[in-house]
Amino acid sequence: MLNCHARRGVSVVAIQAALLVSSSGAFAQSSNTALPPVTVEAPQAARPKPIARPTRQRSTAASRPTRPVAGNVSASAPTQNWEVTAGAARDSLNQAPAGQTATTIDRSQFDNRPAFSVGDVLRDSPGISIKQGNGPRDFGISIRGSNARNGFGIRNLVIFDDGFPVTQPDGLSRSDLIDPHAYGAIDVVRGPSSALYGNYATGGALNFRTRPGGTIDGVEYGVDGGSYGYLNNYLAAGKKVGNFEGSLFASDTRGDGYTGNSWFNTQTVNFLGTLKATPDDRFTVKIINNDLSARLPLRSTLSQYYQNPFQQGCATGLTAAAGCGTILLNNNGFNPTAGTDKETAVQAGLGRNDRRTIVGGRWEHDFDNITTWRNQFTFDDRNISQPTGTTSAIGDFPSYNYMSDLTKRGEILGMESTAFFGAFYNTLTASSDTRNVMPGGNATLGRLSSNLYSETTNYGVRAREELKLTTSLTAVAGVGWETTVLKGINTAYSYIGPTGITATTPTTADRQFQNTAPELALLYNLNNEWLFRGRVATGYGTPQVSNLFVVQTGLSGNNTQLQTQKNLGYDLGFDWTPNNTLKLSATGFYEFFRNEIVTQSTQTPGVTYSFNAPRSEHRGIELAADWKFYPGWRFMAAYTYLDEVYTEYVEDIAKGAVFSFNRAGNKIPGVSPNELTARVGYDEFAGPLTGLGGFVEFQWKDSFYMDNANLLKAPGYELVNVNVHYKTDLVSDTFRSLNLFLEVRNVFDRTYIASANNITNTVSPAGIQDSASALASLSPGSIYAGSPRAFVAGMKVAFR
């Protein structure tokens, strides 16, 4: 049963604990650290890998080679004259691993707009695609189409927050806990990256970096509000005092939602503190807590979407308007496939009531001027209650993640060298239930449908060497080795006769996977304007335990034959920066997949099925531009072209008999071939109107196939957003600055699809595939509509 007040105490405790820490001595995250930092720390503190800052403020492609830290080396000096200076190993951690195809989204790109979710900011990076998930801030994030074929959450990429893992050991990430107001920058690493980031990094990685406490240097309060009851009150506090620096962010966000049964109420706390205990030792603490209570609409079929995209007039199943999504529930609380009570999402009370808590600590120790040792431990607990259809998922998923590594900066045969070696171990053990939902509202729970006991463990080592062969050429080599152990017992419950005599069917799995991921890269600086880069890298992603026990019908069963998906990718690209007003980047990539894990909807609402496609290919182009073409004016664009196809895959579909269909040559569903975000804006820089500005933003997403047979397409869309903002410094002993903004989203009120999960093809008893029109009405649905025209205004005040 949903309860919007449940578990709110956790957020309150987290806020009080963070405030107590801040009031007891000080905050400390280096006020002289230039944005964007990867993590925040006291002066000279080493920042954590996995992801570090590119050397340029906003790199739209691979980072430049690691630069010498010694100040007495000129660009033309022979490498054998390079000298190791104090802090060299620490400083080398402050730069992105050379050779990664990466983008940094700086806070300046979203500080003057009411950024509600990751979808509002990540589109500024090429290669990124966003689709609406199951909740207000729950989004499916894809890098090069990595998550487009997944039914819920985020998979096939690894996410960090200030270097602490937000992806759990089973590969699942959720974006509910991400409030963009908390962050100073976001790093986007594109392409297979398992050599450095391990399991599940087939698409790349993200690192969200909170603002340094020294940069906040006081308290900021902001409020955003607008259409459909949206209201977000948020607070940021930070300070650097002595050897301690810290920042605290807290927000309370509520709204009615633009679709029927989509109200939400969520609170987020994010704290980071770093203490420089000795000249050689730094300690960092990370705390994140998010509570979410939300109602969820049922996903629509394509036909329902055209009839009733926002699910209006859907109070009850008996009085439902045309196009309302419905489910069949059984009054006895078991055997939902025989349900006779037709109910809407509003009537059944479908939604989510979740909590996520992450607590991490990191110790960094300098053995000498060139060697740094880091140890990091993270506890991550995901607690869920999710009645999203005829069944409800309930469980607690605590995980533990430990990593230790050494970084050494020096020379090899007179050439500058940065060497990295690390080991890691993470594990998740959980017992979760799937219960039938009964009629009566408020997500009344019936009897057990299944119980899953699962264990997921990953452990391994990784090594990396960055070697500057000449003043212009840098070579990178890395390798990761990892063992993954999956164990599970899924007990399916069935109920016989009118009294529901219980019968159980257990299915067990005990799988072990070993994976190795090498990578090579070359970076060539032709001159100060041109950087050319090439990269060959690999990725891998094992199934999660729950994938092993859901069959094509959506019911519990044996799917334990799933294999690890692997990809081999080639990147070629360049960055051109002729002056400080223009940055252009282009990357072409070609990736070969083996046993790609693809997920699609099933006949059971809210349940997805995963399978391996033996061979597939992903290729594309990523373009980015940042052009300050006239004083005060700025044009930015991020474009992605994707062409992803099955090259070997035969799909079996049962309809009495089993019929086989060759999908080789077909497009992989869920992948839009063209996506573009472009923005042109102006900010007044002189005179009485200094600080007044605005921009016009254009978003284009091309149509894409929804099924393996490529019969049904989700339509594409074009959106226009308009923003006006004003920022001014205040002459006051109390107030530092005032920021005001107003944004109109979807100016022309386009109706569009914000999310369309892949659907399963069906056949007639004779083995003939059903037509596109039949698929368009196939229940359950897979579509959420995007927001109609919305007005959002905001205000932010900074206090000294």
Side-chain angles (χ1 to χ4, degrees):
M1 177 175 178
L2 286 176
N3 182 355
C4 66
H5 301 290
R7 293 192 286 269
R8 288 284 172 255
V10 178
S11 283
V12 174
V13 171
I15 293 173
Q16 291 175 339
L19 287 173
L20 180 61
V21 170
S22 66
S23 63
S24 65
F27 290 97
Q29 284 153 352
S30 192
S31 61
N32 59 4
T33 301
L35 278 176
V38 171
T39 62
V40 188
E41 71 283 328
Q44 292 187 324
R47 283 184 289 169
K49 279 183 181 177
I51 301 180
R53 175 179 63 86
T55 56
R56 293 191 294 169
Q57 181 74 4
R58 184 180 182 269
S59 169
T60 52
S63 61
R64 294 195 183 275
T66 304
R67 296 175 179 174
V69 176
N72 61 346
V73 180
S74 67
S76 59
T79 57
Q80 59 265 32
N81 291 336
W82 178 78
E83 297 179 9
V84 175
T85 63
R90 295 191 297 268
D91 291 339
S92 71
L93 291 174
N94 293 343
Q95 300 179 3
Q100 300 289 143
T101 304
T103 302
T104 293
I105 301 171
D106 184 71
R107 185 178 178 87
S108 64
Q109 297 169 233
F110 56 88
D111 192 36
N112 56 11
R113 69 185 308 178
F116 166 67
S117 69
V118 293
D120 295 327
V121 296
L122 285 180
R123 289 187 177 94
D124 284 348
S125 170
I128 288 283
S129 181
I130 303 291
K131 69 176 182 179
Q132 180 65 52
N134 295 331
R137 283 193 175 135
D138 184 49
F139 283 82
I141 304 172
S142 293
I143 301 178
R144 297 180 176 178
S146 62
N147 196 64
R149 53 198 180 274
N150 185 56
F152 76 98
I154 305 167
R155 294 197 176 277
N156 305 318
L157 59 91
V158 180
I159 300 180
F160 303 90
D161 197 297
D162 290 318
F164 291 89
V166 176
T167 300
Q168 289 198 297
D170 65 351
L172 180 64
S173 306
R174 303 298 288 256
S175 62
D176 302 296
L177 50 74
I178 299 173
D179 187 325
H181 296 93
Y183 298 99
I186 305 164
D187 298 318
V188 181
V189 174
R190 310 193 300 275
S193 301
S194 290
L196 191 56
Y197 307 122
N199 200 359
Y200 315 115
T202 54
L206 299 172
N207 187 40
F208 291 83
R209 299 191 259 123
T210 54
R211 300 167 63 194
T215 300
I216 300 171
D217 195 27
V219 177
E220 294 179 1
Y221 168 73
V223 57
D224 299 343
S227 302
Y228 311 108
Y230 171 61
L231 180 65
N232 184 2
N233 285 280
Y234 58 93
L235 175 77
K239 202 76 174 178
K240 176 183 179 298
V241 177
N243 290 330
F244 185 78
E245 184 177 29
S247 60
L248 169 69
F249 175 83
S251 68
D252 179 279
T253 309
R254 303 159 188 260
D256 299 328
Y258 56 85
T259 300
N261 200 57
S262 64
W263 62 257
F264 57 90
N265 179 358
T266 180
Q267 289 74 41
T268 301
V269 175
N270 195 322
F271 173 78
L272 180 71
T274 297
L275 172 67
K276 186 178 181 181
T278 74
D280 297 324
D281 295 279
R282 294 160 303 282
F283 296 91
T284 300
V285 174
K286 183 71 174 179
I287 300 172
I288 307 175
N289 191 86
N290 174 258
D291 286 279
L292 169 68
S293 288
R295 291 296 177 102
L296 290 180
L298 289 165
R299 289 181 178 264
S300 303
T301 66
L302 188 59
S303 297
Q304 289 172 332
Y305 161 78
Y306 284 127
Q307 288 180 303
N308 191 352
F310 306 113
Q311 296 292 287
Q312 300 300 301
C314 303
T316 68
L318 292 177
T319 63
C324 288
T326 59
I327 52 176
L328 293 176
L329 302 179
N330 198 320
N331 284 296
N332 58 20
F334 55 85
N335 194 14
T337 57
T340 57
D341 193 321
K342 184 171 72 172
E343 296 198 359
T344 63
V346 176
Q347 186 179 6
L350 304 184
R352 291 176 58 194
N353 189 26
D354 297 357
R355 175 185 53 78
R356 183 79 178 271
T357 302
I358 298 174
V359 179
R362 180 167 55 242
W363 169 45
E364 299 166 285
H365 174 73
D366 301 328
F367 286 112
D368 50 40
N369 290 337
I370 64 172
T371 308
T372 296
W373 180 34
R374 297 180 306 147
N375 291 275
Q376 179 173 287
F377 176 79
T378 307
F379 169 74
D380 184 346
D381 184 49
R382 174 169 52 94
N383 189 287
I384 66 169
S385 176
Q386 300 177 349
T388 58
T390 58
T391 60
S392 175
I394 303 170
D396 188 51
F397 300 84
S399 65
Y400 306 87
N401 188 306
Y402 174 73
M403 56 162 281
S404 180
D405 59 58
L406 283 170
T407 299
K408 184 173 183 178
R409 178 78 177 271
E411 291 184 350
I412 297 178
L413 300 177
M415 295 177 288
E416 297 174 30
S417 164
T418 301
F420 170 86
F421 179 81
F424 59 90
Y425 173 88
N426 54 74
T427 186
L428 184 157
T429 300
S431 178
S432 57
D433 292 335
T434 300
R435 303 187 71 94
N436 297 318
V437 175
M438 294 180 61
N442 294 317
T444 303
L445 298 181
R447 300 175 73 172
L448 268 176
S449 174
S450 65
N451 170 267
L452 174 61
Y453 173 82
S454 63
E455 297 179 12
T456 302
T457 301
N458 304 284
Y459 59 87
V461 295
R462 55 178 67 108
R464 186 178 182 86
E465 174 65 40
E466 300 174 13
L467 195 62
K468 193 166 187 179
L469 303 177
T470 70
T471 56
S472 301
L473 184 64
T474 298
V476 181
V479 65
W481 172 87
E482 185 169 0
T483 293
T484 299
V485 179
L486 305 180
K487 295 182 180 181
I489 302 175
N490 187 76
T491 304
Y493 289 78
S494 58
Y495 302 94
I496 303 170
T499 59
I501 299 173
T502 303
T504 60
T505 305
T507 305
T508 62
D510 189 348
R511 304 286 305 278
Q512 184 175 109
F513 305 90
Q514 290 191 346
N515 294 292
T516 303
E519 84 172 77
L520 296 169
L522 284 175
L523 298 174
Y524 179 64
N525 274 306
L526 178 64
N527 51 42
N528 290 332
E529 296 182 6
W530 290 93
L531 170 66
F532 296 93
R533 46 195 162 72
R535 181 171 182 259
V536 181
T538 53
Y540 57 85
T542 61
Q544 69 175 112
V545 175
S546 61
N547 296 151
L548 305 178
F549 301 111
V550 179
V551 295
Q552 195 170 14
T553 60
L555 301 177
S556 295
N558 192 330
N559 195 29
T560 57
Q561 78 286 347
L562 277 177
Q563 300 296 316
T564 297
Q565 63 177 355
K566 300 180 180 182
N567 63 333
L568 168 65
Y570 299 86
D571 282 25
L572 282 174
F574 68 84
D575 300 330
W576 181 46
T577 311
N579 50 56
N580 60 6
T581 65
L582 178 62
K583 299 176 185 178
L584 294 177
S585 171
T587 303
F589 64 89
Y590 209 123
E591 299 176 6
F592 299 87
F593 273 78
R594 295 288 304 271
N595 294 317
E596 181 172 9
I597 297 176
V598 182
T599 301
Q600 61 190 24
S601 300
T602 68
Q603 298 171 12
T604 303
V607 179
T608 58
Y609 161 73
S610 299
F611 61 90
N612 288 118
R615 293 180 186 271
S616 54
E617 296 180 4
H618 300 189
R619 51 248 178 172
I621 298 171
E622 298 164 334
L623 303 174
D626 188 351
W627 184 23
K628 299 173 184 176
F629 57 90
Y630 197 76
W633 290 90
R634 186 179 187 183
F635 170 77
M636 301 179 66
Y639 168 76
T640 305
Y641 167 74
L642 297 176
D643 181 24
E644 304 189 359
V645 297
Y646 295 121
T647 54
E648 179 187 340
Y649 173 46
V650 175
E651 183 177 19
D652 294 330
I653 303 177
K655 186 76 172 184
V658 176
F659 304 95
S660 299
F661 300 90
N662 188 358
R663 306 302 191 196
N666 285 13
K667 303 290 186 183
I668 297 175
V671 178
S672 174
N674 294 283
E675 293 201 43
L676 170 69
T677 296
R679 183 185 308 128
V680 61
Y682 176 78
D683 284 276
E684 183 61 53
F685 58 92
L689 297 180
T690 299
L692 180 64
F695 62 78
V696 177
E697 183 179 72
F698 175 76
Q699 296 175 4
W700 170 43
K701 186 181 182 76
D702 206 352
S703 60
F704 56 91
Y705 288 109
M706 298 172 61
D707 64 305
N708 287 328
N710 290 177
L711 299 176
L712 187 66
K713 268 190 171 184
Y717 61 83
E718 302 86 27
L719 301 179
V720 175
N721 306 319
V722 175
N723 172 285
V724 178
H725 54 266
Y726 176 69
K727 183 175 182 179
T728 184
D729 294 330
L730 302 176
V731 180
S732 168
D733 294 334
T734 304
F735 303 99
R736 178 184 292 115
S737 63
L738 173 67
N739 195 349
L740 305 171
F741 36 80
L742 171 66
E743 189 159 312
V744 184
R745 298 179 176 176
N746 191 4
V747 172
F748 299 107
D749 204 20
R750 290 287 307 273
T751 301
Y752 66 98
I753 291 177
S755 176
N757 288 338
N758 301 342
I759 62 174
T760 304
N761 290 100
T762 56
V763 298
S764 69
I768 300 173
Q769 292 187 105
D770 290 333
S771 65
S773 59
L775 293 177
S777 301
L778 184 65
S779 183
S782 70
I783 292 171
Y784 282 145
S787 173
R789 184 190 298 120
F791 298 84
V792 185
M795 176 197 71
K796 182 170 60 181
V797 179
F799 299 87
R800 297 186 187 278

